[in-house]
Amino acid sequence: MKGKIAEVFDSVQGEGLYLGEKQIFVRFYGCNLGCRFCDTKLQSFMEYEPEELFQELKLYRDKYHSISFTGGEPLLQKDFLKELLKLTHKDNFKNYLETNGVLYEELKDIIEHLDFVAMDLKLPSSTGLGGFWEEHRLFLKIAAQREVFLKTVVCKDTTEDDLREGLRLIRETAQQAILILQPDSNEDRAHMRNKIENFKALCRRERVTVCAIDQIHKAIGVK
Ligand code: SF4
């Protein structure tokens, strides 16, 4: 069974709750969505057997917080991912999944091999796509078996109504999960600052723990 992998490298986590932690990154090729703000345009991939990639991961020698399985969307290659997660777990690596939070059946099949789930909350007014409310709800219920937090990109078009719907979903499904607001770095900063402050206030009124964290990898010049 071969997996399509766009790149393997080590760096620091550039977003979310574990910002700044040193990780090994395994970037899976291919995605099932097409978000308007996507900056991950993957053009090529290498093919690996799970054992082959595991041996490559073992060559990284630093002390790492975890291995970030990212994409694209790693769950699109669930069978390959599962075999790889089993190998890394057995060797005492921590497994950290970055996901768009839609493929809940696939998540169910691998959840026991994960330590952290960093899930996107895809708001339709941000992505330019339809809503994934039901998929997100089912996904988050499963993800809540592990340490999970959510990230949502906030653009100039993101609406309060969408955010409110997302907050309802978090409250009903994983009350303890923290939501991270990520201002779109391509938008006007002053405008975004106001919007983020308003959105933080809304989250607090709706009793969801929130913080705003920029994506820092571009700013500090790391992958
Ligand atoms: S889910 Fe992530 S990788 Fe896929 S299109 Fe959206 S931003 Fe890009």
Side-chain angles (χ1 to χ4, degrees), residues 70 73 104 122 131 138 189 220:
T70 185
E73 175 50 57
Y104 55 90
K122 297 293 189 190
L138 294 165
R189 285 189 79 79
I220 64 172

mmCIF file of all heavy atoms in Angstrom, residues 70 73 104 122 131 138 189 220:
data_model
loop_
_atom_site.group_PDB
_atom_site.id
_atom_site.type_symbol
_atom_site.label_atom_id
_atom_site.label_comp_id
_atom_site.label_asym_id
_atom_site.label_seq_id
_atom_site.Cartn_x
_atom_site.Cartn_y
_atom_site.Cartn_z
ATOM 1 N N THR A 70 -0.156 16.378 8.006
ATOM 2 C CA THR A 70 -0.865 17.542 7.505
ATOM 3 C C THR A 70 -1.091 17.397 6.007
ATOM 4 O O THR A 70 -0.823 16.348 5.419
ATOM 5 C CB THR A 70 -0.066 18.809 7.893
ATOM 6 O OG1 THR A 70 -0.798 19.971 7.516
ATOM 7 C CG2 THR A 70 1.317 18.865 7.260
ATOM 8 N N GLU A 73 -5.248 16.912 2.761
ATOM 9 C CA GLU A 73 -6.070 16.265 3.788
ATOM 10 C C GLU A 73 -5.582 14.834 4.002
ATOM 11 O O GLU A 73 -5.849 13.944 3.181
ATOM 12 C CB GLU A 73 -7.548 16.290 3.355
ATOM 13 C CG GLU A 73 -8.468 15.524 4.303
ATOM 14 C CD GLU A 73 -8.269 15.914 5.757
ATOM 15 O OE1 GLU A 73 -8.405 17.104 6.091
ATOM 16 O OE2 GLU A 73 -7.954 15.025 6.576
ATOM 17 N N TYR A 104 -15.368 12.126 8.805
ATOM 18 C CA TYR A 104 -15.542 11.554 10.151
ATOM 19 C C TYR A 104 -15.435 10.025 10.163
ATOM 20 O O TYR A 104 -14.962 9.449 11.144
ATOM 21 C CB TYR A 104 -16.861 12.029 10.774
ATOM 22 C CG TYR A 104 -18.069 11.762 9.926
ATOM 23 C CD1 TYR A 104 -18.781 10.587 10.046
ATOM 24 C CD2 TYR A 104 -18.495 12.700 8.990
ATOM 25 C CE1 TYR A 104 -19.877 10.349 9.251
ATOM 26 C CE2 TYR A 104 -19.594 12.461 8.194
ATOM 27 C CZ TYR A 104 -20.275 11.289 8.325
ATOM 28 O OH TYR A 104 -21.363 11.054 7.531
ATOM 29 N N LYS A 122 -14.709 25.006 9.041
ATOM 30 C CA LYS A 122 -14.810 25.629 7.716
ATOM 31 C C LYS A 122 -16.109 26.416 7.613
ATOM 32 O O LYS A 122 -17.181 25.836 7.400
ATOM 33 C CB LYS A 122 -14.759 24.553 6.623
ATOM 34 C CG LYS A 122 -13.443 23.778 6.570
ATOM 35 C CD LYS A 122 -12.289 24.653 6.129
ATOM 36 C CE LYS A 122 -11.022 23.877 5.869
ATOM 37 N NZ LYS A 122 -9.862 24.742 5.672
ATOM 38 N N GLY A 131 -21.707 24.732 3.563
ATOM 39 C CA GLY A 131 -21.395 24.431 4.964
ATOM 40 C C GLY A 131 -21.122 22.941 5.170
ATOM 41 O O GLY A 131 -21.608 22.107 4.418
ATOM 42 N N LEU A 138 -20.259 15.472 13.530
ATOM 43 C CA LEU A 138 -19.915 14.054 13.706
ATOM 44 C C LEU A 138 -18.412 13.895 13.933
ATOM 45 O O LEU A 138 -17.955 13.082 14.740
ATOM 46 C CB LEU A 138 -20.381 13.250 12.485
ATOM 47 C CG LEU A 138 -21.912 13.209 12.323
ATOM 48 C CD1 LEU A 138 -22.313 12.728 10.937
ATOM 49 C CD2 LEU A 138 -22.534 12.328 13.404
ATOM 50 N N ARG A 189 -4.991 44.749 7.663
ATOM 51 C CA ARG A 189 -4.743 44.411 9.078
ATOM 52 C C ARG A 189 -5.644 45.163 10.048
ATOM 53 O O ARG A 189 -6.161 44.599 11.002
ATOM 54 C CB ARG A 189 -3.270 44.660 9.437
ATOM 55 C CG ARG A 189 -2.339 43.606 8.874
ATOM 56 C CD ARG A 189 -0.942 43.763 9.427
ATOM 57 N NE ARG A 189 -0.796 43.225 10.782
ATOM 58 C CZ ARG A 189 -0.648 41.934 11.047
ATOM 59 N NH1 ARG A 189 -0.646 41.040 10.086
ATOM 60 N NH2 ARG A 189 -0.499 41.531 12.298
ATOM 61 N N ILE A 220 7.810 34.600 10.003
ATOM 62 C CA ILE A 220 9.167 34.344 10.477
ATOM 63 C C ILE A 220 10.004 33.567 9.464
ATOM 64 O O ILE A 220 11.143 33.176 9.739
ATOM 65 C CB ILE A 220 9.188 33.638 11.854
ATOM 66 C CG1 ILE A 220 8.549 32.238 11.766
ATOM 67 C CG2 ILE A 220 8.494 34.454 12.920
ATOM 68 C CD1 ILE A 220 8.716 31.407 13.040
#
